[in-house]
């Protein structure tokens, strides 16, 4: 798969999508956001792929935010459309039927922090730095940051970070529950692959049901009902029959995502 602003590398049961504008610290211009949408849709449709890893090229930055150079001529309507188009793609990531793991190497600022937060899991390199600096520009986050940051770390610290623009390092991000693990920069992708492989061994449709049920509880009052629905659906999958049979036969299950 060829992209202008991304690298798309399939290997085993996962895909590594690398945002590839290192001279702009991988800032998200509109074209890159559209390509991210296309890349994750492609990975979702590919039956060989069971997990997606999203990272940034170069050692300095995951993503240093939305591309500020595209802001200059925007009016109220244009600004709202920019946020809406970005949120469509970020929501798509959050709601994908396959797990998306962010491998955060360096700056994850503004839209970069928001992109990481839209992923299901986040692994940070020791040099990662997180922040929402939008108010410095007279703006607020537009790609879900005002919603996902308090959801992930609680409103107390989220409001502080959103209003002070303070950056936090990877260890503080770990303490706050913003990331799952911290690794040395040269071990970042290996750690992401290790987790991707662990998830890929499980029943794919059940993983998809986990994502739906958890999202439902985070975004609506219907989480428990969604869990009931998804639990029921699992019983009519071939993966459930395989999982239960393999358990009884004391062997490893071979899940097909059916
Ligand atoms: N949008 C557009 N371009 C960006 C960018 C962004 N969000 N972040 C970095 N860049 C570009 C810089 O303009 C520069 O381009 P140039 O070489 O053509 O001048 C290049 O990336 C390198 O950035 P630079 O600022 O020189 O690196 P630095 O190490 O001195 O500083 C940061 C790194 C991340 C602290 C700084 O780039 C920064 O503050 N970026 C903006 C962060 C932000 O506000 N994001 C939220 C946007 S809503």
């Amino acid at each position: 798969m060829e992209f202008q602003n991304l690298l798309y590398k399939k290997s085993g049961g996962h895909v590594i999508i690398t945002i590839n504008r290192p001279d702009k610290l991988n800032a998200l211009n509109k074209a890159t956001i559209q390509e991210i949408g296309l890349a994750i849709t492609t990975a979702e449709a590919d039956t060989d792929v069971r997990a997606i890893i999203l990272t940034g090229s170069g050692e300095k930055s995951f993503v240093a935010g939305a591309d500020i150079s595209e802001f200059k001529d925007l009016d109220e309507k244009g600004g709202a459309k920019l946020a809406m188009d970005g949120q469509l793609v970020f929501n798509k990531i959050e709601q994908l039927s396959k797990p998306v793991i962010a491998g955060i190497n360096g700056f994850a600022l503004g839209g970069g922090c928001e992109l990481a937060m839209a992923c299901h899991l986040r692994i940070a390199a020791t040099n990662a730095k997180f922040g929402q600096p939008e108010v410095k520009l007279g703006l607020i986050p537009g790609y879900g940051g005002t919603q996902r940051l308090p959801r992930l770390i609680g409103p107390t610290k989220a409001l502080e970070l959103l209003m002070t623009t303070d950056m936090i390092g990877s260890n503080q991000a770990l303490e706050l529950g913003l990331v799952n693990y911290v690794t040395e920069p040269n071990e970042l992708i290996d750690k992401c692959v290790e987790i991707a492989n662990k998830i890929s061994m499980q029943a794919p449709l059940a993983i998809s049901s986990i994502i739906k049920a958890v999202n439902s509880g985070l975004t609506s009052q219907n989480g428990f009902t969604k869990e009931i629905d998804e639990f029921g659906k699992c019983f009519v999958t071939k993966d459930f029959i395989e999982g239960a049979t393999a358990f009884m036969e004391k062997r490893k299950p071979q899940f097909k995502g059916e």
Side-chain angles (χ1 to χ4, degrees):
M1 194 88 198
E2 288 288 316
F3 294 94
Q4 276 200 308
N5 303 292
L6 308 177
L7 306 174
Y8 186 95
K9 188 170 155 238
K10 219 170 121 171
S11 161
H14 63 265
V15 160
I16 301 179
I17 299 171
T18 306
I19 299 160
N20 191 30
R21 302 182 74 214
D23 52 333
K24 296 288 173 196
L25 302 185
N26 303 319
L28 298 176
N29 57 4
K30 288 186 214 164
T32 304
I33 292 185
Q34 292 315 309
E35 286 193 354
I36 293 172
L38 182 58
I40 57 158
T41 308
T42 305
E44 185 175 44
D46 186 336
T47 49
D48 297 340
V49 173
R50 293 204 178 171
I52 296 156
I53 295 166
L54 194 56
T55 192
S57 80
E59 281 162 23
K60 199 170 161 185
S61 181
F62 171 69
V63 168
D67 191 322
I68 300 169
S69 69
E70 291 187 337
F71 287 179
K72 57 182 184 302
D73 298 323
L74 293 178
D75 58 10
E76 181 174 350
K77 227 171 149 186
K81 178 159 177 7
L82 187 77
M84 204 191 303
D85 291 347
Q87 285 194 16
L88 272 179
V89 172
F90 285 30
N91 291 346
K92 170 90 188 158
I93 294 173
E94 187 174 62
Q95 290 158 14
L96 212 70
S97 60
K98 296 179 178 179
V100 186
I101 303 168
I104 303 144
N105 50 315
F107 291 115
L109 301 178
C113 188
E114 293 172 291
L115 180 62
M117 290 192 292
C119 296
H120 303 113
L121 301 174
R122 282 160 291 284
I123 319 300
T126 48
N127 68 336
K129 286 207 181 317
F130 299 83
Q132 297 288 163
E134 288 86 351
V135 294
K136 269 188 206 167
L137 300 171
L139 296 173
I140 67 166
Y143 298 157
T146 65
Q147 304 306 300
R148 291 193 179 99
L149 190 60
R151 196 187 285 161
L152 287 169
I153 68 171
T156 304
K157 206 66 195 170
L159 278 163
E160 179 189 332
L161 296 181
L162 288 162
M163 295 196 290
T164 62
T165 77
D166 281 352
M167 274 193 227
I168 59 168
S170 51
N171 285 330
Q172 201 183 348
L174 185 66
E175 276 167 30
L176 289 170
L178 185 57
V179 302
N180 298 79
Y181 294 97
V182 175
T183 72
E184 290 302 322
N186 62 351
E187 291 165 6
L188 178 66
I189 296 302
D190 286 349
K191 183 69 185 175
C192 294
V193 170
E194 177 194 319
I195 295 173
N197 287 343
K198 218 183 254 188
I199 299 172
S200 300
M201 284 163 54
Q202 319 307 328
L205 295 177
I207 295 293
S208 167
S209 288
I210 291 278
I211 293 170
K212 282 186 205 155
V214 170
N215 280 340
S216 175
L218 291 173
T219 56
S220 75
Q221 300 294 314
N222 303 325
F224 286 96
T225 310
K226 189 71 178 167
E227 182 179 286
I228 291 169
D229 292 347
E230 293 297 322
F231 184 76
K233 282 182 191 162
C234 289
F235 282 89
V236 292
T237 63
K238 288 185 185 159
D239 282 348
F240 163 65
I241 295 169
E242 167 62 9
T245 308
F247 178 80
M248 300 307 286
E249 293 175 356
K250 299 190 188 305
R251 62 172 173 81
K252 279 194 174 161
Q254 297 295 324
F255 293 120
K256 294 195 173 130
E258 295 172 358

